[in-house]
Amino acid sequence: MFSLGQDLRFSLRQLRKSPGYAFVAILTLALGIGANTAIFLLTYSIVLQSLPVPHAGQLIRYTFRSGGGEVGLSYPQYKAMEQRQTAASGLFAWSSDDATLRGNGQPEKIRLALATGPIFPVLELRPALGRGLSPKAGEPGNAYQPEAVLSYAYWHSEFHGDRSVIGRTLDIDNNSVTVVGVLPASFEGVEPGQKFDALLPLSFSRLLHPDSPMMDMGGAFWLTVMGRLRPGETLAGAIANLNAIRAAVNEAADPSHHFLNGGFFSSYTLGVESGRAGESWLRFRYRKPLLALESLCGLMMLLCGVNVALVVISRVSGRLHEFAMRTALGAGRGRLFTQVLTETVLLGICGLACGGLLGWRLCMFLVGMISDSGMPPALEVRAGFVVIGFAAAISIGAAALAGLWPAWRAAGTAPAIDLRQIGSGRTAARLGRWIIPTQVALGVVLLNAALLLAGTLLTFLREHSGFNADQTVLADLNLSEARLPAKTEPPKVNDFLQQLRAMPGVHGAAILSMPPIHHGFSVAGFYTRDEKGNLLSNQQVWPETVSGDYFSVMGTRILAGRAFAAADAAGDRVCVISAAAAAFFFPGRPAVGASLHSGDGTEKPAESAPCRVIGVAEDARMKSLLASAPLVVYMLTGHQTPGVYGYATAAVRAANPQLAEDAIRRVYALEFPTLPPPVTWRFHDAVNADLSQQRLLSSVSGGFALLALALVATGLYGVLARAVVERRREIGIRMALGAQRGQIVSNLARGAAMRVLIGVAAGAGLALLAGRLLRTLLYGVTGASPAIGLATLVLLLAVLALAFVFPAGRAASIDPMEAIRDE
């Protein structure tokens, strides 16, 4: 310990005497540590963190997926699963919704969690105050008294931790709800990042949506279903149990086969997985990108470590006379080894302090990138012991590994040689032998990956989405809370639209049933018959109910026929279909003027609700810019049954988005004064949020690529500059014997080029492997794209050529007489 203390004090003095060396090494480590910490913090919060409940590893979650898409389970599926499964000791269903709280002045929106009663025993939750939900609350055959369990945060923010809140009555959507308990502070739901204010029984959704209760709809897939394994049971056993009952569950949940077993969702399959981390759309969407970034972070940290090793060995080479003197005075090899390693680890500790702060800032930036604009952050990250331990491990580990070879070189100092400074000229050659190829190979991989991911983002940005709505603002309308009579609802909404259109700066306003590119989807079945009477049926059509101005407001072009007109509301049933729908239902013949029927073709003609096609619109990517455009059928609002306006979206195009937002709030407050203000968002923000995964990958990998280029360039420059210094006498002698300056530069270039070509060859192979690993994240480019590979090579060689210029110029400018005289 005494020797260690001496080494620490001596290392601090050495770093203080060489601030430039210390700054470069610490900055290099800080950049690598910061990047790794930021990505790991994000990965831990989204992918690895468990729910804060007892024995979270025993939880399982049932899934309903098709390819890359996932939806929840329907309530009939949940009940059928609950009755038939034997792997779990209990199941519960969970969802979330918005509601209006009244009674404390201005009505306010609150976030509700809805769950079945068994949630408390299954999660082993103990309320901080009061009790949990009644196990049978709201179940068929049981009397239902609305009750609520408040979240701990909401209890403190709104009720100031008042323990007398138990038994208090709240007015939620004009329903009296009794507070029966408060949740523990650590529990914020089974959907990480999606906080809520109050937990109510799932059956409360019938009161929230009396016109369309989703608990009674076999085609509503909206529930997260979780359970706890029985003692001794395993996940493999739960999978086997589900395989045995899957067909029976589907049959019981949908005996009509309208949705399952050949229906709308026939391509979706029930599955089961670990529920340790709950259910998170962030994890489903970002798991693969984050794992890819973790791999790139590892390469980045390796490159930083190599550069730190280069800096340290250069410093050790300049101190060989000192080490030789200490050896001659009796210092052992172990003592020299420990002293250099201590100095390097000290650099790592300083890099940890700077890199930790940088990583936290970068993580907050990335959280904002994956959050929807205008909404609270999608994730709350916390730097716990796991994250701090990870940062400390990579910083100390990287510094220690970077210092091993320099420490070994210092320990091997020979007094008889190094006291005379003979033989040190071999240092640059040894450095260049492995450091330059390693740096170049890692630079090729990181730069190629960044260009591939940037190419994917550019492909999505270039492709036309079917919308031109940069100046459009959308707003959620929940008019069901107004309890409008069915006959007065359409005129009221029409007045709302007319007033919006009359506002200054507003160019158009429309109503649509499902907002595009907004985390939702819609599906229905349509059919027609060709000229020979053959049935053309598709049960995966996107039905969109819109008002007449929809196409001009959203910027979707009409390719044939016309858009809706005011007179269409009073006439026969008409529709506009997308180009893909026209090609499917009317191949080889005009779609305009033809009839399209809803259903699957088995209904009687009187039940099939035909509509006449009046126009064909361009294909629009309704669900996501990342998904292909679906077949879309646009129907006019005036032809729908009463209640279609209850849950709709208003779209307003104006001279600028702020004008549109102000117009919506002002007119909404006038027309519906008893309702809370609507939630608005700008359409271009929704587009940006939809591409957040690609922006995250492109931005982070691009930052890695720029840092890699800088490190590779400085590494080559450092090795060559060191070589010029160490070979100064040799170069002077050669020039005195008649060597031309061009020959000196070409000799230096040949040695560097050989190392660079070795690195490029190795990096090309690694880049192809990385491209294969990234293939599921690419679109419009391939992992082995020749254009991307050529761009990588040209950019890297240009940077390396720039790094070569300065050492080459210094070598060519050596005066042979001065070099020989100095020796």
Side-chain angles (χ1 to χ4, degrees):
M1 292 302 296
F2 178 76
S3 298
L4 179 61
Q6 284 186 322
D7 289 339
L8 282 173
R9 289 191 296 272
F10 184 73
S11 297
L12 287 172
R13 288 198 302 271
Q14 291 295 319
L15 295 180
R16 189 168 59 248
K17 290 179 180 179
S18 305
Y21 155 72
F23 175 78
V24 171
I26 291 173
L27 178 62
T28 303
L29 284 172
L31 291 173
I33 294 165
N36 275 268
T37 302
I39 300 301
F40 181 77
L41 185 54
L42 209 58
T43 303
Y44 179 75
S45 301
I46 293 177
V47 180
L48 304 176
Q49 194 170 26
S50 300
L51 290 176
V53 298
H55 312 106
Q58 299 174 358
L59 297 177
I60 56 174
R61 184 175 75 90
Y62 289 93
T63 62
F64 197 42
R65 293 173 178 163
S66 174
E70 177 176 355
V71 295
L73 275 67
S74 68
Y75 186 74
Q77 279 179 308
Y78 160 67
K79 294 303 294 183
M81 187 83 66
E82 187 180 44
Q83 294 167 5
R84 290 166 175 78
Q85 69 83 29
T86 57
S89 58
L91 302 183
F92 71 88
W94 171 285
S95 186
S96 56
D97 210 329
D98 291 326
T100 301
L101 179 67
R102 293 180 173 85
N104 295 320
Q106 183 71 20
E108 63 172 323
K109 282 286 186 182
I110 61 172
R111 188 69 174 166
L112 299 182
L114 305 172
T116 52
I119 182 174
F120 280 84
V122 170
L123 293 181
E124 299 181 4
L125 286 176
R126 293 184 178 181
L129 188 66
R131 63 173 177 84
L133 299 177
S134 301
K136 295 295 183 179
E139 295 294 325
N142 293 274
Y144 176 51
Q145 174 63 40
E147 56 188 29
V149 181
L150 303 179
S151 72
Y152 194 88
Y154 189 71
W155 175 50
H156 268 271
S157 63
E158 296 299 321
F159 298 97
H160 310 292
D162 185 1
R163 301 180 68 86
S164 65
V165 72
I166 304 299
R168 186 176 299 186
T169 299
L170 305 178
D171 183 341
I172 300 179
D173 263 22
N174 299 316
N175 297 287
S176 296
V177 179
T178 303
V179 177
V180 298
V182 175
L183 286 161
S186 60
F187 183 73
E188 297 177 345
V190 300
E191 302 171 328
Q194 306 298 306
K195 294 184 178 181
F196 62 93
D197 300 315
L199 173 65
L200 283 81
L202 186 70
S203 50
F204 190 73
S205 64
R206 288 195 173 100
L207 303 181
L208 290 173
H209 312 286
D211 295 329
S212 55
M214 289 190 288
M215 289 182 68
D216 302 329
M217 299 168 60
F221 298 90
W222 58 302
L223 297 175
T224 295
V225 176
M226 297 181 63
R228 183 176 291 276
L229 293 172
R230 296 181 185 277
E233 187 62 88
T234 63
L235 179 60
I239 294 174
N241 178 235
L242 177 61
N243 291 335
I245 65 173
R246 183 181 287 112
V249 168
N250 287 342
E251 184 65 29
D254 182 29
S256 67
H257 298 180
H258 190 61
F259 302 104
L260 308 174
N261 299 322
F264 292 144
F265 293 88
S266 57
S267 62
Y268 283 72
T269 304
L270 280 169
V272 62
E273 64 183 21
S274 172
R276 174 187 56 81
E279 192 277 331
S280 171
W281 67 269
L282 285 173
R283 183 172 63 253
F284 182 77
R285 185 173 186 181
Y286 288 101
R287 180 177 176 274
K288 288 183 179 179
L290 287 174
L291 293 179
L293 290 179
E294 284 286 358
S295 301
L296 296 180
C297 272
L299 295 178
M300 188 73 255
M301 195 67 231
L302 180 58
L303 183 56
C304 290
V306 170
N307 270 60
V308 172
L310 173 61
V311 173
V312 176
I313 193 63
S314 297
R315 178 170 171 79
V316 167
S317 298
R319 296 170 60 191
L320 291 180
H321 188 275
E322 169 200 332
F323 294 133
M325 180 66 72
R326 294 180 63 185
T327 303
L329 294 176
R333 293 171 59 92
R335 186 62 188 276
L336 296 180
F337 182 91
T338 303
Q339 196 277 314
V340 175
L341 198 61
T342 300
E343 183 176 315
T344 313
V345 171
L346 191 59
L347 292 173
I349 294 173
C350 296
L352 171 62
C354 299
L357 180 59
L358 176 63
W360 178 261
R361 295 293 186 185
L362 178 58
C363 183
M364 293 300 100
F365 172 76
L366 298 178
V367 169
M369 184 177 290
I370 66 177
S371 301
D372 291 342
S373 178
M375 301 294 288
L379 184 70
E380 184 175 347
V381 295
R382 299 183 178 93
F385 290 111
V386 175
V387 177
I388 295 173
F390 170 83
I394 62 170
S395 59
I396 304 302
L401 290 175
L404 282 178
W405 184 40
W408 184 264
R409 175 67 182 92
T413 303
I417 297 177
D418 291 311
L419 275 173
R420 299 181 59 189
Q421 294 290 339
I422 299 173
S424 62
R426 297 172 297 179
T427 302
R430 291 175 177 175
L431 286 174
R433 196 172 299 163
W434 67 273
I435 282 187
I436 291 178
T438 301
Q439 289 179 319
V440 171
L442 294 175
V444 168
V445 176
L446 290 168
L447 183 56
N448 188 75
L451 292 177
L452 288 174
L453 295 170
T456 295
L457 177 61
L458 288 175
T459 300
F460 282 121
L461 292 175
R462 283 198 306 265
E463 289 190 345
H464 185 52
S465 63
F467 304 102
N468 184 14
D470 287 342
Q471 302 301 319
T472 299
V473 173
L474 296 97
D476 284 330
L477 306 181
N478 186 2
L479 304 186
S480 63
E481 298 180 29
R483 302 291 193 265
L484 297 175
K487 292 182 179 180
T488 63
E489 191 178 65
K492 191 74 171 175
V493 174
N494 286 334
D495 289 343
F496 173 66
L497 290 178
Q498 291 299 331
Q499 290 195 46
L500 278 175
R501 293 166 185 151
M503 294 293 290
V506 172
H507 302 321
I511 290 289
L512 49 152
S513 57
M514 177 66 69
I517 313 179
H518 198 61
H519 313 307
F521 72 98
S522 184
V523 65
F526 288 86
Y527 74 93
T528 187
R529 296 185 182 276
D530 62 16
E531 296 172 342
K532 297 181 180 180
N534 297 319
L535 179 67
L536 298 174
S537 176
N538 193 306
Q539 304 303 297
Q540 302 294 325
V541 177
W542 182 298
E544 187 75 17
T545 304
V546 302
S547 61
D549 287 350
Y550 171 83
F551 296 101
S552 61
V553 171
M554 297 303 295
T556 303
R557 297 173 297 175
I558 299 295
L559 305 179
R562 63 176 177 85
F564 295 117
D568 292 328
D572 295 333
R573 186 182 177 89
V574 295
C575 62
V576 175
I577 63 177
S578 66
F584 179 87
F585 290 113
F586 307 102
R589 60 191 178 111
V592 178
S595 294
L596 185 65
H597 301 260
S598 60
D600 59 6
T602 62
E603 303 88 349
K604 296 178 181 179
E607 300 172 345
S608 60
C611 66
R612 178 170 54 89
V613 178
I614 62 171
V616 176
E618 66 176 324
D619 289 330
R621 301 193 176 194
M622 304 294 288
K623 184 176 181 180
S624 169
L625 297 180
L626 311 179
S628 58
L631 280 63
V632 185
V633 174
Y634 301 94
M635 295 167 289
L636 195 59
T637 53
H639 290 149
Q640 300 304 302
T641 57
V644 69
Y645 302 102
Y647 300 94
T649 300
V652 177
R653 178 187 284 271
N656 62 70
Q658 189 59 52
L659 276 176
E661 291 178 351
D662 294 341
I664 291 172
R665 293 191 179 97
R666 189 175 302 122
V667 175
Y668 194 85
L670 291 174
E671 288 292 320
F672 309 104
T674 61
L675 300 182
V679 175
T680 63
W681 71 96
R682 301 179 182 187
F683 189 75
H684 77 269
D685 289 342
V687 172
N688 289 336
D690 192 55
L691 293 177
S692 59
Q693 180 190 105
Q694 284 66 37
R695 292 183 188 277
L696 175 71
L697 285 167
S698 182
S699 300
V700 176
S701 62
F704 288 171
L706 291 176
L707 181 56
L709 285 175
L711 292 176
V712 171
T714 55
L716 179 65
Y717 170 81
V719 170
L720 293 179
R722 184 74 185 175
V724 171
V725 171
E726 293 180 345
R727 295 174 57 191
R728 190 168 185 270
R729 179 172 180 269
E730 172 203 335
I731 293 173
I733 293 174
R734 293 180 61 191
M735 294 180 70
L737 294 176
Q740 300 297 315
R741 298 184 185 275
Q743 292 175 312
I744 298 298
V745 173
S746 63
N747 179 267
L748 190 65
R750 280 196 299 271
M754 182 61 67
R755 308 301 181 213
V756 169
L757 290 177
I758 294 174
V760 168
L766 293 174
L768 288 175
L769 178 60
R772 293 184 61 184
L773 297 176
L774 293 173
R775 65 183 182 275
T776 58
L777 302 174
L778 302 179
Y779 177 79
V781 295
T782 63
S785 170
I788 297 294
L790 181 60
T792 300
L793 184 61
V794 170
L795 186 57
L796 182 68
L797 292 180
V799 172
L800 292 179
L802 185 63
F804 173 77
V805 168
F806 297 101
R810 182 177 297 177
S813 63
I814 291 177
D815 187 327
M817 298 308 297
E818 288 186 6
I820 297 174
R821 188 181 303 115
D822 289 343
E823 290 297 328

